[in-house]
Amino acid sequence: LVNDDRHDPAEVIEISVGLENSPYSVWIGDGILDSIGERLGAWRRGKKVALVTDANVAPLYADRVLSSLTAAGFSPCLIVVPAGESSKCLAGVEMICDAMISAGLDRSSSLVALGGGVIGDLAGFAAAVYYRGIPYVQVPTTVVAQVDSAVGGKTGVNATGGKNLIGAFHQPAMVFCDPFTLSTLPTREFNEGIAEVIKHAAIRMPSLLDELDPNQRTGLAPMIAKNVSIKAEIVAADEFETIGLRAMLNFGHTLGHAIENVAGYGTLLHGEAISIGLHAALKLSAQFEGMPDADANRVLDALRAFHLPLQIPAGLQSARIFDAMMKDKKFASGSMRFVLLRALGKPVISSDVTPDAVRDVIASLQTA
Ligand code: NAD
Ligand code: GLY
């Protein structure tokens, strides 16, 4: 971690994502939003930059980023998409690309993604395919995005048949996390992001569970930095998820994505579906890996403290969730592979989980 004192008195933390071919830095600091243009100055290519954001974030933060880019000599064009998961689709990519074509952006241009995980994934994918790939910068404004999705280069959109099924690896050139932006997040959106923090704690840093305070909404930079470090270390070691390490980040996501898909994107927030998926993964961890109850209870207590759901909402049929899970790309090879825990901080990839065990765990989480 490196302190950077070029700007305001608030500490800025730099975390390196040590990829062999495309290393980059994640900068974390309260108020860093206002110095993005200046910080991009040395990196810039063409002057034209697309600032892509959503309709909730635009009125809150777009002007500050536009001013910062303009002051640094860029010519930004603002592209605003509707807020919410339903924008994360191919039509959303087309809309962004069309707007960039109309604004005259070419292969020397770049893109800034300002918003939550939806904007990061969607705009990142647009950057991956526009002129066969232009550089982009992530400016995450939700907990999910700051602790997880903005780092690692997974970009993409949902297909009717499943979540994130259309996408590309495209690493950002830089990431700027401004924890101050989290102060405007509605409580429900703040809490859903903590599901990814709890996931990181469960697979990599159990001590994080003791540091989480449901009432804390300021001074979050150190917590964000710990999560970014976890993600950065895993991504640097296994960028393309080929050696099994990055797959550990899918803890709780196998069932979580299926629940999100069957509920209809946007019904449950992403982190809420992941919270239910984490509950399922903890049960399977106890059954197949002997995870101690005390460990599972620490995770469940943390999820409850942030009012995250642990049961599948009424009306979602078990059979549909099971089918959606089987279609998930993680099962494309036909084998059922689950990330489970032997204990907190000790993840394994298991092929032992049977379809019946999955059906049973789904049934056990159904709301009566
Ligand atoms: P989101 O982007 O939809 O943001 C949640 C809501 O908060 C939206 O309504 C948004 O407009 C609003 N918002 C954003 N920032 C705000 C702010 N500072 N103040 C007020 N409102 C604000 O959702 P999310 O939870 O950030 O991200 C979920 C998405 O991220 C899912 O699509 C998920 O698949 C994806 N994801 C991707 C990765 C990855 O590695 N690429 C990892 C985790 C999650
Ligand atoms: N969010 C899972 C990953 O980036 O691999």
Side-chain angles (χ1 to χ4, degrees), residues 73-367:
F74 290 101
S75 302
C77 81
L78 180 65
I79 301 172
V80 181
V81 303
E85 188 74 28
S86 52
S87 281
K88 207 177 114 172
C89 60
L90 280 175
V93 178
E94 193 175 9
M95 182 267 184
I96 292 169
C97 290
D98 282 346
M100 291 199 286
I101 292 165
S102 299
L105 273 76
D106 61 20
R107 71 177 77 250
S108 72
S109 308
S110 44
L111 183 153
V112 175
L114 170 71
V118 164
I119 287 298
D121 284 10
L122 169 68
F125 185 57
V129 294
Y130 191 69
Y131 275 83
R132 300 194 183 86
I134 59 170
Y136 76 115
V137 170
Q138 291 272 18
V139 187
T141 63
T142 64
V143 179
V144 171
Q146 295 195 359
V147 303
D148 188 353
S149 61
V151 178
K154 277 191 183 176
T155 72
V157 296
N158 302 321
T160 318
K163 204 165 155 61
N164 299 334
L165 293 187
I166 303 163
F169 283 101
H170 188 42
Q171 297 291 345
M174 267 179 244
V175 181
F176 298 100
C177 296
D178 187 338
F180 266 168
T181 60
L182 304 180
S183 62
T184 51
L185 267 184
T187 302
R188 189 176 165 201
E189 275 75 4
F190 184 90
N191 288 348
E192 65 136 346
I194 299 294
E196 302 285 10
V197 174
I198 292 171
K199 173 196 79 178
H200 281 157
I203 61 169
R204 209 71 172 171
M205 197 185 281
S207 61
L208 253 181
L209 293 172
D210 305 320
E211 295 170 28
L212 293 175
D213 174 355
N215 299 314
Q216 185 186 356
R217 297 295 287 268
T218 55
L220 291 165
M223 187 274 284
I224 306 285
K226 282 182 188 167
N227 282 276
V228 169
S229 297
I230 293 171
K231 182 92 195 249
E233 183 204 343
I234 291 175
V235 167
D238 185 16
E239 180 178 6
F240 299 112
E241 208 168 307
T242 46
I243 61 167
L245 184 61
R246 187 163 183 170
M248 301 301 179
L249 292 169
N250 293 328
F251 183 59
H253 283 54
T254 312
L255 205 61
H257 279 170
I259 293 169
E260 198 179 356
N261 179 309
V262 172
Y265 295 127
T267 312
L268 280 169
L269 298 179
H270 173 72
E272 293 172 342
I274 297 312
S275 175
I276 303 166
L278 288 170
H279 191 189
L282 291 170
K283 282 176 173 261
L284 292 169
S285 297
Q287 186 179 347
F288 288 93
E289 296 295 333
M291 181 191 196
D293 285 350
D295 284 9
N297 286 335
R298 276 181 73 193
V299 177
L300 294 173
D301 286 347
L303 294 169
R304 283 189 197 101
F306 286 87
H307 306 290
L308 287 160
L310 297 176
Q311 304 294 126
I312 296 168
L316 298 193
Q317 289 167 6
S318 301
R320 287 191 60 210
I321 296 171
F322 184 80
D323 289 348
M325 209 186 74
M326 296 309 285
K327 275 193 211 145
D328 189 287
K329 61 188 180 307
K330 290 173 201 72
F331 293 110
S333 64
S335 73
M336 180 113 61
R337 285 154 61 82
F338 263 89
V339 183
L340 300 179
L341 297 181
R342 292 209 165 122
L344 282 179
K346 304 251 177 291
V348 288
I349 295 185
S350 168
S351 304
D352 296 341
V353 180
T354 59
D356 280 347
V358 175
R359 285 194 189 89
D360 287 350
V361 86
I362 294 172
S364 76
L365 295 179
Q366 289 282 357
T367 306

